[in-house]
Amino acid sequence: MSDTHLHPVPIYVDGEWRQSTTTGWQPVVDPTSAETIATVPLCSKSEVERAVSAAHRAFLQWRNTPVSERARVMLAYQHLLKAHQSEIAAILASETGKVMADAMGDVWRGIEVVEHATAVAPMMMGEHLENVAAEIDSYSLIQPLGVCVGITPFNFPAMIPLWMFPLAVACGNGFVLKPSERVPLTAVKLIELFYQAGAPQDIVQLVHGGVAQAQCLYEHPDVKAVSFVGSVDGAQSIYRGASQALKRVQALGGAKNHLVVMPDANKEEVINAIVGASVGAAGQRCMAISVVVWVGKSAEWIADVVAKMAEVKPGLSEENAAFGPLISAQSKQRVCELIASGIEAGAECLLDGREFVHPTRPKGFWLAPTIFDKVTPEMAIYQQEIFGPVLLNMRAENLPAAMALINANPCGNGTSIFTSSGQSARQFQHGIEVGQVGINVPIPVPLPFFSFTGWKKSFYGDLHIYGKQAVRFYTETKTVTSRWFDDENDDEGDVNMTIQLR
Ligand code: NAD
C-alpha cells in the first residue's frame, strides 16, 4: 500500500486486490464538505490490459459452467447485497453526498437487476424446429461473447454497475468494470461482495480511471462488447470509438426530460410529483424532470409548485434533508453559470437557490431548488442538460403543441403526462418520440424485466440495457442445422422406413 496517497482505492486485477502502480492519481471528494476522502488511481495501460487478459482466461472456464450454477452465484449475490444494503449505501453516500434514502434506493434498484439475472436460464434458451427439411432439424444456441466492459457515471454508483456485470456474467461472460473516477469506492464494495457470493476468480476485474482507460478497454482485441452510461458527449465518443474498433456497443447518454400537465390532472398529485422528480437527488438523475410543460389553464398551478419547492432544502441525511449537494465544485459552478445565463436571457427566476449555505458544511457544493418560468427553446437552460435542482416551466396551448415541443428536443430518455383522460394519455404514448413514458408516473424507470429504453441522443446502439435485450446484447446466437445417419444399419430397410415415415 502506498504511503503517498490518502486511502488509495484498490483495483481488482489478475487474481487479487492490489494497489495500482500508476503515477496518475486523483482525489475522491466528499461533496458535502469538499474534503478528500480517498485517492483513486488512473490505471496504467498495462494494468488495464492485464485486467482484460485475466477476465478472458476466466471466461474460457466460466463459459462451460452450467447455467444453473451461474444463476446460483446471482442468488447468493442478491442475498449478500440485501444484507449489506445499508453498508453499501453509506459508502455511496460518502462519495456522492446523497442522503441515505436516495443512497438506499440506488442500491435497491441494482439489487432488482441481480434478481432478474437469477432467471438467466430461460432468457438464454434458443429455438428448435425439427424437420426443416427431410430428417433435418435446426436449432439455435445462445452463447456468451467473451470479455464485456462497463463504463459508468457518477450519479448511480451502485445501480448502474449492477445494470451491467451481473447479467453479463450470468450469461457466461467475463467483465471489466471501470466506474466513474469520481465515485470509485462503491464499486470496490460491489465487487468484494460478488467474490464473496462465489463468483469464480477473475471473472470480473475492476480498474479505475477516465477517458484514457475507457479507450484502452474498448480498443483491446479481447473485448467484445461495451456498455456505457454517461453524458451525451461521452456516449457519442464511446459509440464512435468502440464502433470504429468493431465492438458491439450500447451507449446511454444524457437527457432533458419533460412532464406535461393537462388541465384535467389531479392538482395535488401533480405538485407532489414535480417536486420529488425534479430536485430529488439534487436533480442529478438521468430521468429527473427538468421541464414542466403546462397545458392551458394548468399553468395556474405554477405558484403552488414554487410555494412547495421553497420548503425543500438540501442537507445531510441526519437533518432529514430532501437531497444532498452537487457532485463537485466544477458541477456547481457550471449549474450556477447556467442559472445566470437564464436570467440574462429573460427567463423569470421564481426561486433562486444559489445563495444557500449549509450551516455546518459551508464548503460543500450545495444548491437549493431553483425555478424558472417563461423559458423558451433557444435559451441555454433549455438546450443543455442542467443536472442540478433546477426546474424550467414552459406553456403550451394544447397537447399537440406540448408534444411538438418535446419531439423537437434532441434527447429522448424519459417523459411523463399527468391527466385524467385516457384519450390524452393514449395520444401521448403513441406520438411522443421518447423511449420511456410515464402516465401519471413522473419517473418511469422500467423494472428489470423490461429494458431501459432511451431514444435519440439519450441512446446509441440497438439493444438496450438490462432486461431481455441485455441478454441478447451479451450473447451471440449460433444456428445449428443437423442431420444424423444410421451408419451401421444403413440398408434398404431403413431407407424404406424413412420413406414411409415421410
Ligand atoms: P460522463 O460522461 O462525464 O462520464 C461517464 C463515464 O464515462 C465515466 O466513467 C468517465 O470516466 C467516462 N467517460 C467520460 N467521457 C468519456 C469519453 N469521451 N470516452 C470514454 N470514457 C468517457 O458522465 P457523468 O458526469 O459521470 O454522469 C452524468 C451524465 O450521465 C449525465 O449526462 C446523465 O444524464 C447521464 N446518465 C445517463 C443515464 C441513462 O440511463 N441514460 C443514466 C445515468 C446518467
Side-chain angles (χ1 to χ4, degrees):
M1 180 157 309
S2 164
D3 294 334
T4 52
H5 302 292
L6 174 73
H7 304 306
V9 184
I11 55 178
Y12 183 97
V13 170
D14 198 1
E16 60 186 67
W17 290 100
R18 45 178 98 228
Q19 286 305 327
S20 169
T21 55
T22 184
T23 50
W25 293 77
Q26 73 178 50
V28 180
V29 174
D30 171 357
T32 67
S33 63
E35 279 169 16
T36 297
I37 53 173
T39 319
V40 65
L42 308 174
C43 283
S44 65
K45 190 164 190 266
S46 63
E47 284 168 338
V48 174
E49 287 175 347
R50 192 170 173 188
V52 176
S53 300
H56 187 253
R57 280 195 303 276
F59 154 73
L60 295 176
Q61 302 289 318
W62 182 240
R63 68 190 299 242
N64 299 322
T65 305
V67 66
S68 45
E69 270 182 50
R70 303 200 307 258
R72 257 176 237 129
V73 172
M74 302 305 146
L75 273 173
Y77 191 40
Q78 186 264 11
H79 183 74
L80 273 178
L81 287 172
K82 276 172 73 181
H84 291 264
Q85 188 185 355
S86 306
E87 189 190 342
I88 303 166
I91 295 169
L92 189 158
S94 74
E95 59 184 353
T96 59
K98 282 189 186 189
V99 294
M100 268 310 262
D102 277 339
M104 290 290 279
D106 188 330
V107 183
W108 183 253
R109 296 308 300 256
I111 291 174
E112 289 177 328
V113 184
V114 178
E115 283 170 6
H116 184 65
T118 63
V120 65
M123 291 191 288
M124 283 189 75
M125 284 164 69
E127 294 173 311
H128 193 135
L129 185 64
E130 69 168 1
N131 283 334
V132 291
E135 292 191 4
I136 294 181
D137 300 337
S138 249
Y139 46 94
S140 56
L141 307 177
I142 309 296
Q143 299 190 330
L145 296 175
V147 179
C148 305
V149 158
I151 298 161
T152 56
F154 79 83
N155 65 327
F156 282 100
M159 177 183 83
I160 294 180
L162 292 172
W163 280 1
M164 299 175 180
F165 74 84
L167 263 170
V169 171
C171 288
N173 297 289
F175 201 89
V176 184
L177 175 65
K178 190 211 76 65
S180 166
E181 60 277 36
R182 289 186 273 183
V183 293
L185 300 170
T186 307
V188 170
K189 189 71 200 168
L190 294 179
I191 303 302
E192 265 175 27
L193 291 174
F194 197 53
Y195 283 115
Q196 268 182 46
Q201 181 174 320
D202 281 331
I203 203 65
V204 173
Q205 308 279 311
L206 177 66
V207 296
H208 298 297
V211 175
Q213 289 70 19
Q215 187 176 353
C216 183
L217 280 170
Y218 66 67
E219 286 181 348
H220 194 289
D222 279 341
V223 168
K224 301 295 182 220
V226 180
S227 299
F228 171 89
V229 179
S231 58
V232 169
D233 284 354
Q236 290 182 342
S237 169
I238 289 266
Y239 190 69
R240 288 201 181 97
S243 302
Q244 184 74 24
L246 304 176
K247 303 303 163 67
R248 190 179 287 198
V249 194
Q250 50 180 196
L252 285 69
K256 194 78 179 175
N257 306 312
H258 301 67
L259 182 148
V260 175
V261 183
M262 299 299 288
D264 58 15
N266 177 312
K267 179 178 165 186
E268 199 182 334
E269 295 287 348
V270 164
I271 290 161
N272 288 336
I274 290 173
V275 172
S278 58
V279 303
Q284 298 176 118
R285 292 176 178 143
C286 64
M287 289 289 277
I289 291 300
S290 174
V291 186
V292 179
V293 187
W294 302 92
V295 175
K297 284 177 68 173
S298 71
E300 290 168 7
W301 303 342
I302 292 176
D304 300 87
V305 173
V306 176
K308 181 127 191 161
M309 203 81 98
E311 294 165 12
V312 176
K313 296 277 180 269
L316 306 170
S317 283
E318 51 270 34
E319 298 160 350
N320 279 330
F323 59 87
L326 293 176
I327 189 66
S328 64
Q330 297 85 329
S331 180
K332 181 175 172 185
Q333 188 184 344
R334 192 185 59 79
V335 176
C336 287
E337 283 171 6
L338 272 171
I339 294 172
S341 86
I343 294 169
E344 196 159 308
E348 200 177 321
C349 189
L350 303 177
L351 195 63
D352 187 343
R354 287 176 295 173
E355 295 304 313
F356 179 87
V357 180
H358 190 273
T360 59
R361 305 212 182 180
K363 291 192 177 154
F365 315 128
W366 305 99
L367 185 65
T370 298
I371 304 182
F372 279 106
D373 194 8
K374 314 241 166 71
V375 176
T376 54
E378 66 285 354
M379 292 178 180
I381 48 172
Y382 182 75
Q383 293 199 343
Q384 293 182 31
E385 182 185 33
I386 298 177
F387 227 53
V390 181
L391 179 66
L392 313 184
N393 290 286
M394 300 174 82
R395 293 143 204 261
E397 264 180 36
N398 49 35
L399 183 55
M403 290 171 60
L405 173 77
I406 299 169
N407 287 348
N409 193 285
C411 291
N413 214 31
T415 189
S416 175
I417 185 169
F418 273 67
T419 181
S420 58
S421 157
Q423 205 280 330
S424 297
R426 196 175 182 287
Q427 187 181 345
F428 188 75
Q429 76 176 25
H430 178 72
I432 208 69
E433 291 162 17
V434 174
Q436 301 172 102
V437 180
I439 296 171
N440 298 314
V441 172
I443 302 193
V445 175
L447 278 141
F449 1 98
F450 290 92
S451 296
F452 189 98
T453 52
W455 281 17
K456 299 193 279 189
K457 280 188 172 181
S458 301
F459 179 74
Y460 295 93
D462 52 358
L463 292 170
H464 291 274
I465 208 142
Y466 70 73
K468 281 181 254 175
Q469 291 200 23
V471 172
R472 287 179 58 207
F473 181 77
Y474 290 129
T475 56
E476 191 52 281
T477 306
K478 184 182 280 175
T479 312
V480 181
T481 303
S482 129
R483 176 183 188 184
W484 292 93
F485 301 102
D486 187 349
D487 287 343
E488 282 179 17
N489 303 306
D490 195 9
D491 55 18
E492 195 74 10
D494 275 342
V495 172
N496 285 340
M497 197 173 80
T498 309
I499 291 166
Q500 277 168 22
L501 280 174
R502 284 181 197 146

